[in-house]
C-alpha cells in the first residue's frame, strides 16, 4: 500500500513540475501585441514623448498606429537633463511633430531647456486648451515671446518659468491674460553677492494673480514688504516655497501670519534636497552693470561637445520615417 502511495506522490510531483514548466514557457512566449489597445497605450504613455518618437513607435505596425492617436499627445512631456549637445536628435523638431500629432488636443507640455520663442508660438498657435506649461531653463524664451502668446492661454492653470530670462514685465502680461492661473513657479539662479533687494516680481504677482494656490519663488530677492503684498492679495494660497529667499525675516508677525495662512510653507533655510536644481551658495562679488536677468543676490543654482544634428524633414514627411538616420562625423546609422 505504501509503495502505491510513493508512486502516486512521485507522479503528482512530476505532473506539478511539468505544469509549472508549461506555465513558465507560456509566460515567456506571451505576445505583448495581444494586449488590448488601451492597455498598450497606457504603457507607452509612461515612456514619454522622446522615447515614443525615437523608438517605441517603430516596434511594430500596431504600436505605430497607437502612437499616432491624437489622445496620446494631450500631454507632451519632453523632460531631459539639459545635455542637448549630446542628444542624437533635435528636440525642437521632435516637439513640433508631437504637437502636430495632438491635432489641437494638447493640454500639458514640458519643453524645459530647449524652448524658444518660435517654438512657444508654434505650440500656442496649435491649441487653445493649454492648462499646464513648463518652460524651466528656457533661456531662448524672452519677455517679448511670452507676452506675444499670453493672450492665447486663457485656460492656463499651471506655469513654470524657472531659471530663465523672464522678468516682471512678462509676469504682468501673464497675470492679466490668464485668469485661471493657480500655480506659478518663478525660481531664480542666485548669487550671495552683490546684495540686492527687489519686490518687483512680488508686487506684480500680488497685483495680477489673486487666484494663485501654489507659488514657488526659490531664490527670489523679495523682502518682507513684497511677501506681505502677496499674502494680502493671494488669499487662496495653500503652498508657498520661499527657500533661498534670504532677504526675508520670518520672525515675528510675518512668520506667524505665514504659518496661519499657508498650509505648506517652505522657509528660506529649509532643506533643498527635493529641489530639481543644485542649490550651491556662491559669492560672485559685485557687477559693474545691472546683474543678469533671472539671477538674484543670494545663491547660484547649477545644472547637474560634440554636436549631433537631426535631419530636418521635408514638408509633410513623417517623423518616424527619419528616426535612426543621424549624423556622427562621417558615419550614418
Amino acid at each position: 500500500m505504501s509503495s502505491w502511495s510513493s508512486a502516486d506522490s512521485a507522479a503528482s510531483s512530476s505532473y506539478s513540475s511539468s505544469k509549472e514548466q508549461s506555465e513558465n514557457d507560456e509566460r515567456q512566449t506571451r505576445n505583448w501585441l495581444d494586449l488590448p489597445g488601451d492597455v498598450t497605450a497606457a504603457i507607452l504613455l509612461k515612456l514619454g514623448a522622446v522615447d515614443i518618437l525615437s523608438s517605441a513607435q517603430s516596434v511594430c505596425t500596431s504600436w505605430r498606429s497607437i502612437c499616432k492617436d491624437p489622445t496620446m499627445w494631450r500631454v507632451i512631456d519632453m523632460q531631459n537633463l539639459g545635455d542637448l549637445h549630446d542628444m542624437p536628435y533635435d528636440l525642437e523638431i521632435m516637439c513640433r511633430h508631437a504637437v502636430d500629432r495632438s491635432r489641437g488636443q494638447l493640454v500639458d507640455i514640458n519643453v524645459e531647456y530647449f524652448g524658444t520663442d518660435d517654438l512657444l508660438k508654434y505650440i500656442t498657435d496649435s491649441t487653445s486648451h493649454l492648462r499646464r506649461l513648463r518652460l524651466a531653463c528656457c533661456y531662448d524664451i524672452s519677455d517679448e515671446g511670452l507676452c506675444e502668446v499670453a493672450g492665447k492661454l486663457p485656460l492656463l492653470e499651471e506655469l513654470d518659468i524657472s531659471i530663465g530670462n523672464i522678468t516682471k514685465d512678462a509676469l504682468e502680461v501673464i497675470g492679466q491674460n490668464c485668469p485661471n492661473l493657480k500655480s506659478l513657479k518663478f525660481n531664480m539662479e542666485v548669487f550671495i553677492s552683490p546684495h540686492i533687494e527687489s519686490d518687483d516680481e512680488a508686487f506684480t504677482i500680488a497685483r495680477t494673480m489673486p487666484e494663485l494656490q501654489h507659488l514657488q519663488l526659490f531664490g527670489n530677492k523679495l523682502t518682507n514688504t513684497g511677501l506681505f503684498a502677496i499674502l494680502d492679495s493671494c488669499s487662496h494660497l495653500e503652498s508657498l516655497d520661499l527657500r533661498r529667499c534670504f532677504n526675508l525675516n520670518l520672525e515675528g508677525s510675518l512668520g506667524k501670519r505665514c504659518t496661519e495662512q499657508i498650509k505648506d510653507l517652505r522657509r528660506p533655510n529649509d532643506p533643498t534636497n527635493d529641489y530639481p536644481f543644485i542649490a550651491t551658495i556662491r559669492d560672485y562679488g559685485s557687477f559693474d552693470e545691472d546683474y543678469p536677468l533671472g539671477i538674484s543676490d543670494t545663491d547660484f543654482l547649477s545644472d547637474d561637445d560634440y554636436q549631433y544634428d537631426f535631419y530636418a524633414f521635408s514638408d509633410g514627411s513623417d517623423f518616424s520615417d527619419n528616426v535612426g538616420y543621424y549624423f556622427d562625423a562621417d558615419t550614418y546609422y
Side-chain angles (χ1 to χ4, degrees), residues 9 30 35 37 40 49 54-55 71 77 100 132 168 185 189 210 213 216 251 262 267 281 293 299 309 320 327 331:
S9 177
R30 187 172 295 163
L35 288 174
T40 301
S54 63
S55 57
T71 60
D77 186 358
D100 290 342
R132 189 180 188 192
K168 64 180 179 62
K185 292 183 179 181
E189 291 181 290
Q213 296 176 7
Q216 186 175 65
E251 301 297 329
I262 307 299
R267 295 172 177 270
I281 299 177
L293 297 175
D299 194 13
D309 294 321
S320 61
F327 178 70
T331 304

Side-chain angles (χ1 to χ4, degrees), residues 3-288:
S3 61
W4 279 103
S5 298
S6 297
D8 290 343
S9 177
S12 176
S13 177
S14 176
Y15 172 76
S16 297
S17 177
S18 176
K19 181 180 180 181
E20 182 178 349
Q21 181 62 42
S22 177
E23 291 175 347
N24 287 337
D25 291 342
E26 182 181 351
R27 282 195 294 268
Q28 291 173 2
T29 59
R30 187 172 295 163
N31 192 341
W32 279 68
L33 301 181
D34 293 335
L35 288 174
D38 58 338
V39 175
T40 301
I43 294 173
L44 291 174
L45 281 172
K46 294 186 179 299
L47 295 177
V50 174
D51 286 336
I52 290 176
L53 289 173
S54 63
S55 57
Q57 69 171 5
S58 301
V59 169
C60 62
T61 302
S62 175
W63 283 22
R64 180 180 176 82
S65 177
I66 292 173
C67 291
K68 284 189 172 184
D69 188 332
T71 60
M72 290 283 291
W73 304 99
R74 287 172 52 82
V75 176
I76 299 176
D77 186 358
M78 302 194 69
Q79 184 177 13
N80 64 89
L81 298 177
D83 50 350
L84 305 183
H85 296 301
D86 296 326
M87 294 182 182
Y89 32 69
D90 187 315
L91 286 181
E92 183 167 350
I93 294 175
M94 186 180 282
C95 182
R96 287 173 181 256
H97 186 72
V99 171
D100 290 342
R101 285 196 175 183
S102 72
R103 297 182 185 176
Q105 298 187 35
L106 179 63
V107 297
D108 180 342
I109 190 166
N110 176 11
V111 295
E112 60 186 31
Y113 289 104
F114 69 93
T116 65
D117 285 346
D118 287 342
L119 179 59
L120 184 57
K121 184 177 186 304
Y122 190 86
I123 292 168
T124 53
D125 282 345
S126 302
T127 179
S128 59
H129 305 298
L130 270 183
R131 287 174 169 77
R132 189 180 188 192
L133 181 60
R134 288 169 284 175
L135 308 174
C137 300
C138 293
Y139 289 98
D140 290 325
I141 290 180
S142 65
D143 274 357
E144 294 76 13
L146 193 54
C147 290
E148 181 180 355
V149 305
K152 303 174 185 177
L153 301 169
L155 302 180
L156 192 67
E157 297 178 0
E158 298 182 36
L159 176 63
D160 183 351
I161 46 177
S162 302
I163 321 298
N165 294 323
I166 302 304
T167 72
K168 64 180 179 62
D169 297 328
L171 276 181
E172 183 167 8
V173 176
I174 286 291
Q176 293 169 344
N177 286 274
C178 305
N180 295 307
L181 194 64
K182 301 293 191 301
S183 176
L184 174 68
K185 292 183 179 181
F186 186 65
N187 305 313
M188 289 182 158
E189 291 181 290
V190 286
F191 291 98
I192 194 173
S193 177
H195 180 80
I196 297 174
E197 298 180 355
S198 174
D199 288 312
D200 289 348
E201 296 94 359
F203 288 154
T204 300
I205 291 169
R207 185 171 62 254
T208 65
M209 303 178 183
E211 300 302 317
L212 282 181
Q213 296 176 7
H214 308 284
L215 177 61
Q216 186 175 65
L217 294 173
F218 194 106
N220 197 271
K221 306 176 297 298
L222 82 165
T223 68
N224 284 18
T225 302
L227 181 53
F228 268 120
I230 290 175
L231 294 175
D232 286 342
S233 300
C234 304
S235 58
H236 303 294
L237 270 183
E238 298 177 7
S239 67
L240 178 60
D241 190 343
L242 300 171
R243 286 176 294 176
R244 294 290 190 255
C245 295
F246 292 135
N247 290 334
L248 293 174
N249 181 356
L250 298 189
E251 301 297 329
S253 60
L254 180 57
K256 180 180 180 181
R257 180 171 176 184
C258 286
T259 301
E260 294 175 347
Q261 184 171 335
I262 307 299
K263 295 179 181 178
D264 181 9
L265 176 66
R266 310 296 291 273
R267 295 172 177 270
N269 288 303
D270 280 355
T272 61
N273 53 295
D274 63 339
Y275 186 68
F277 307 99
I278 297 174
T280 303
I281 299 177
R282 298 182 183 181
D283 187 343
Y284 276 72
S286 61
F287 295 104
D288 294 332

Side-chain angles (χ1 to χ4, degrees), residues 277-305:
F277 307 99
I278 297 174
T280 303
I281 299 177
R282 298 182 183 181
D283 187 343
Y284 276 72
S286 61
F287 295 104
D288 294 332
E289 301 176 356
D290 292 340
Y291 67 79
L293 297 175
I295 297 176
S296 85
D297 55 292
T298 52
D299 194 13
F300 178 82
L301 309 182
S302 59
D303 298 327
D304 214 62
D305 263 7

